[in-house]
Amino acid sequence: MSQSAATPAPYAADTPAAAAFRRTISNPVKLRLFMLRSLPMAYLAGLRLREITPGRATVTVPFKYLTKNPFRSIYFACLSMAAEMASGVLSMMNTQGGRVSMLVVGLEAEFTKKAVGLISFTSEDGGRIAQAIAESRATGEGRTVVCTSTGLDEAGDTVAIFRITWSYRAKQ
């Protein structure tokens, strides 16, 4: 993981392009159209973006027929989708206004409780993502960030923790 000890760069999300992205992605109709076109499995699973700020994003996944497993809980792949999307929308927001490739290069998960009901995954890594992308734009070199998405059930209990390694490289 590449990060400097210097003061983090201002959130790229403070740019007009990132603010416009947040407004667009926060619109439920526009989000569903985006998912239908670009993330059809997320659309079918019923993923929803509940919050997006410069520093954090929350995505929910419901327990329903299309997301269940034979053990009467949410299938781990559906949990993975929601966890990845929480850090993914922060990544997309921070790449606005310039060409930056982003790719998941690693995934680690811990499951601590049976996932039933509505599960909310939150990633609070917007600042670290913005800093890595700013460094990649400044140096032309790739940067990686390990983002943590924590899944909570409706009672507030942790059901899963995902650590997703993202790679960012600014295109010259």
Side-chain angles (χ1 to χ4, degrees):
M1 174 157 64
S2 298
Q3 293 184 340
S4 70
T7 305
Y11 287 118
D14 291 339
T15 66
F21 174 83
R22 281 197 314 275
R23 280 191 306 276
T24 299
I25 205 87
S26 294
N27 180 307
V29 173
K30 290 180 181 179
L31 176 63
R32 286 186 186 117
L33 289 173
F34 167 76
M35 288 194 308
L36 187 60
R37 187 187 77 224
S38 301
L39 301 166
M41 291 309 299
Y43 176 84
L44 290 174
L47 270 58
R48 298 289 182 263
L49 179 65
R50 294 295 179 212
E51 173 189 24
I52 185 166
T53 68
R56 69 186 268 155
T58 301
V59 174
T60 60
V61 59
F63 175 70
K64 63 181 193 172
Y65 178 75
L66 290 177
T67 62
K68 70 179 181 132
N69 63 28
F71 311 109
R72 294 190 299 262
S73 63
I74 299 176
Y75 182 49
F76 83 94
C78 295
L79 296 172
S80 299
M81 268 194 302
E84 186 266 348
M85 188 172 170
S87 59
V89 295
L90 291 172
S91 297
M92 290 174 67
M93 174 181 61
N94 282 290
T95 61
Q96 299 301 302
R99 293 180 34 174
V100 178
S101 64
M102 51 185 256
L103 181 66
V104 172
V105 296
L107 175 71
E108 181 183 326
E110 295 174 38
F111 302 95
T112 56
K113 185 179 177 191
K114 194 172 188 172
V116 294
L118 186 68
I119 307 300
S120 299
F121 280 93
T122 300
S123 176
E124 297 186 0
D125 295 308
R128 294 176 49 234
I129 292 167
Q131 181 177 351
I133 291 170
E135 288 175 5
S136 181
R137 285 181 170 144
T139 66
E141 298 175 5
R143 294 289 186 261
T144 60
V145 176
V146 178
C147 296
T148 302
S149 290
T150 304
L152 304 177
D153 63 13
E154 293 163 302
D157 297 329
T158 300
V159 298
I161 299 171
F162 284 80
R163 281 173 283 287
I164 300 155
T165 305
W166 286 93
S167 173
Y168 307 99
R169 182 177 299 275
K171 298 176 183 177
Q172 301 301 329

